[in-house]
Amino acid sequence: MAARYYTLAIRQDGTLWAWGLNEGGQFGDGTKVNQRVPVQVGTATWTSVAAGVGHTVALRTDGTLWAWGSNYDGQLGDGTNTAHMTSMQVGTDTNWASVAAGGFHTVAVRTDGTLWAWGQNENGQLGDGTKVNRHVPVQWARTRTGRAWRRAVLIP
């Protein structure tokens, strides 16, 4: 997964690696030190990762969702706008299936097919019918289509 100035990758063994610009703490290694070569992010086993402008969101193999980095608009989903330079769990749910990161917002799908969004919403990108930023995951109106969602993808 490549963002504007940094790159994230998951190896076959499930380890997460990052390199490039780290000014927002988006590597999750507790620093803001840029890296010219890949560095491992923690010791957890990951299934997917997504990169925003300065934040990272990732799914662990146990179905939990984690986020770190810049949080100006609530894109980490912890109820604040405080940055986190190490990974923090988004809620307590263990049924996340996929995650995508926009510039300053995040969208994720749970295994039950529900779609959730949070972060910046100045252009209505959260799909909740408002332009209000959300600092915690908000369920998107599944009833609009009556169908479940499978995956979220955001195009920069």
Side-chain angles (χ1 to χ4, degrees):
M1 169 57 57
R4 186 169 180 185
Y5 297 112
Y6 70 105
T7 304
L8 301 158
I10 299 175
R11 288 189 174 168
Q12 285 187 323
D13 65 3
T15 57
L16 179 60
W17 296 77
W19 59 97
L21 184 72
N22 188 29
E23 70 180 359
Q26 60 264 42
F27 291 0
D29 64 355
T31 75
K32 290 188 176 184
V33 176
N34 299 339
Q35 298 291 338
R36 293 185 180 176
V37 297
V39 294
Q40 187 171 348
V41 179
T43 59
T45 306
W46 305 92
T47 59
S48 67
V49 64
V53 168
H55 77 289
T56 300
V57 288
L59 292 174
R60 287 190 178 171
T61 54
D62 64 2
T64 56
L65 180 59
W66 296 75
W68 55 92
S70 298
N71 195 27
Y72 300 114
D73 297 300
Q75 61 265 44
L76 300 184
D78 68 342
T80 75
N81 62 352
T82 303
H84 292 273
M85 296 194 6
T86 57
S87 62
M88 49 133 262
Q89 188 173 350
V90 179
T92 59
D93 296 302
T94 59
N95 63 338
W96 296 102
S98 73
V99 65
F104 303 97
H105 71 291
T106 304
V107 179
V109 177
R110 290 190 179 162
T111 56
D112 65 0
T114 56
L115 181 65
W116 299 74
W118 58 98
Q120 187 183 77
N121 197 27
E122 68 183 31
N123 296 301
Q125 59 265 49
L126 301 185
D128 65 355
T130 75
K131 289 187 176 183
V132 176
N133 292 353
R134 305 295 180 175
H135 291 81
V136 295
V138 175
Q139 186 176 350
W140 202 75
R142 179 179 178 183
T143 57
R144 288 185 187 168
T145 63
R147 298 193 176 140
W149 300 94
R150 183 171 25 155
R151 179 173 298 203
V153 177
L154 299 171
I155 308 301

